[in-house]
């Protein structure tokens, strides 16, 4: 059981050093800190308990609290998503170079496309790991979305837009993209880094 708590600690530690958009990073750091506090308290209680049944009860309580924490964190991440989208929309309104929603500084043909460390498969895997499936409400067995976003010149992501028939799936997809831990390698045009529109189709199948 000690390895169970240790594994959780390692996961929390790795998440704390990720490079998400600041709003998402702040939310994750806050809840990871509280997970660590809960983990330590439950670990102490578990290790001092000698009764096997009581140990199992402590473990079940721990898992219950962590599941609740995930749900509360997701609510906070939805708030961060709304804030980030509002700020991006305001930025577009104040940018005189943006005309009727077009992005003239986006280059459609590049010498080198934007790329995520480890490639597209690594990006898909991380998005899958970050995806909060409990936040998706779907009657259909399979849900899909096409996620488009901009990789900025510094490798960060912005303007994430998921298009699909399931709103809750779209929302979780956008949160996951904003929360990826690594920066992209930016696109190159004529030797300079440029903004690049990236597209990623996502599919989830429910059992």
């Amino acid at each position: 059981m000690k390895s169970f708590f240790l594994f959780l600690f390692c996961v929390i530690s790795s998440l704390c050093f990720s490079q998400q958009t600041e709003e998402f990073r702040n939310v994750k750091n806050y809840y990871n800190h509280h997970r660590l506090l809960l983990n330590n308290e439950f670990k102490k209680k578990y290790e001092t308990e000698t009764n096997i049944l009581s140990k199992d009860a402590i473990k079940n309580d721990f898992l219950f609290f962590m599941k609740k924490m995930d749900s509360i964190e997701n609510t906070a991440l939805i708030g961060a998503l709304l804030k980030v989208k509002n700020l991006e929309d305001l930025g577009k309104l104040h940018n005189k170079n943006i005309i009727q929603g077009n992005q003239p500084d986006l280059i459609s043909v590049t010498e080198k496309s934007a790329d995520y460390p480890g490639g597209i498969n690594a990006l898909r895997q991380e998005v899958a790991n970050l995806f909060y499936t409990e936040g998706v409400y779907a009657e259909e067995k399979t849900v899909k979305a096409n996620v488009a976003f901009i990789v900025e010149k510094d490798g960060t992501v912005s303007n994430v837009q998921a298009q699909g028939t399931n709103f809750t799936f779209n929302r979780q997809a956008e949160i996951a993209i904003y929360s990826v831990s690594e920066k992209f390698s930016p696109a190159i045009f004529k030797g300079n880094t440029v903004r690049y529109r990236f597209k990623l189709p996502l599919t989830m199948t429910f059992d």
Side-chain angles (χ1 to χ4, degrees), residues 150-169:
I150 296 172
V151 176
E152 299 290 347
K153 296 178 182 180
D154 65 353
T156 58
V157 301
S158 68
N159 298 278
V160 182
Q161 298 288 338
Q163 298 293 329
T165 58
N166 188 295
F167 171 75
T168 58
F169 182 77

Side-chain angles (χ1 to χ4, degrees), residues 114 149-153 155-157 184-186 194-196 198:
F149 55 94
I150 296 172
V151 176
E152 299 290 347
K153 296 178 182 180
T156 58
V157 301
F184 282 73
S185 172
V194 292
R195 303 174 80 220
Y196 182 83
F198 201 105

Side-chain angles (χ1 to χ4, degrees), residues 16-198:
C16 286
F17 292 98
S18 53
Q19 302 174 4
Q20 298 102 325
T21 301
E22 185 176 359
E23 290 294 330
F24 296 89
R25 183 173 62 246
N26 289 341
V27 170
K28 287 184 175 295
N29 285 342
Y30 177 84
Y31 284 95
N32 285 337
H33 173 68
H34 282 78
R35 283 191 185 90
L36 181 58
L37 294 177
L38 278 173
N39 179 72
N40 290 338
E41 289 302 314
F42 273 100
K43 182 180 178 181
K44 290 177 185 177
K45 189 175 181 180
Y46 182 88
E47 290 179 344
T48 56
E49 181 58 59
T50 57
N51 184 278
I52 298 298
L53 293 178
S54 296
K55 280 181 174 288
D56 286 341
I58 293 170
K59 178 181 177 180
N60 290 334
D61 286 344
F62 172 78
L63 295 174
F64 174 78
F65 272 93
M66 287 301 170
K67 188 173 183 179
K68 285 292 185 183
M69 186 73 75
D70 289 343
S71 178
I72 296 169
E73 180 185 4
N74 184 61
T75 301
L77 287 170
I78 291 172
L81 180 67
L82 294 173
K83 182 177 180 180
V84 166
K85 283 183 171 290
N86 286 337
L87 289 173
E88 289 176 344
D89 289 342
L90 287 172
K92 291 176 185 177
L93 289 175
H94 288 88
N95 188 342
K96 296 180 180 180
N97 293 324
I98 306 299
I99 303 174
Q100 295 180 348
N102 294 323
Q103 307 261 0
D105 57 338
L106 285 172
I107 305 298
S108 57
V109 179
T110 61
E111 299 167 9
K112 175 186 171 297
S113 301
D115 192 26
Y116 194 72
I120 190 69
N121 289 334
L123 176 61
R124 286 184 178 279
Q125 185 60 56
E126 180 159 7
V127 169
N129 292 339
L130 290 166
F131 208 98
Y132 182 60
T133 56
E134 296 295 325
V136 178
Y137 306 97
E139 295 181 357
E140 60 271 33
K141 187 175 181 180
T142 301
V143 289
K144 299 180 179 181
N146 290 312
V147 188
F149 55 94
I150 296 172
V151 176
E152 299 290 347
K153 296 178 182 180
D154 65 353
T156 58
V157 301
S158 68
N159 298 278
V160 182
Q161 298 288 338
Q163 298 293 329
T165 58
N166 188 295
F167 171 75
T168 58
F169 182 77
N170 295 344
R171 184 170 60 190
Q172 294 303 322
E174 291 172 349
I175 290 173
I177 293 294
Y178 274 116
S179 299
V180 293
S181 61
E182 301 288 342
K183 288 186 177 182
F184 282 73
S185 172
I188 304 294
F189 180 70
K190 294 184 178 180
N192 298 314
T193 57
V194 292
R195 303 174 80 220
Y196 182 83
R197 190 179 299 281
F198 201 105

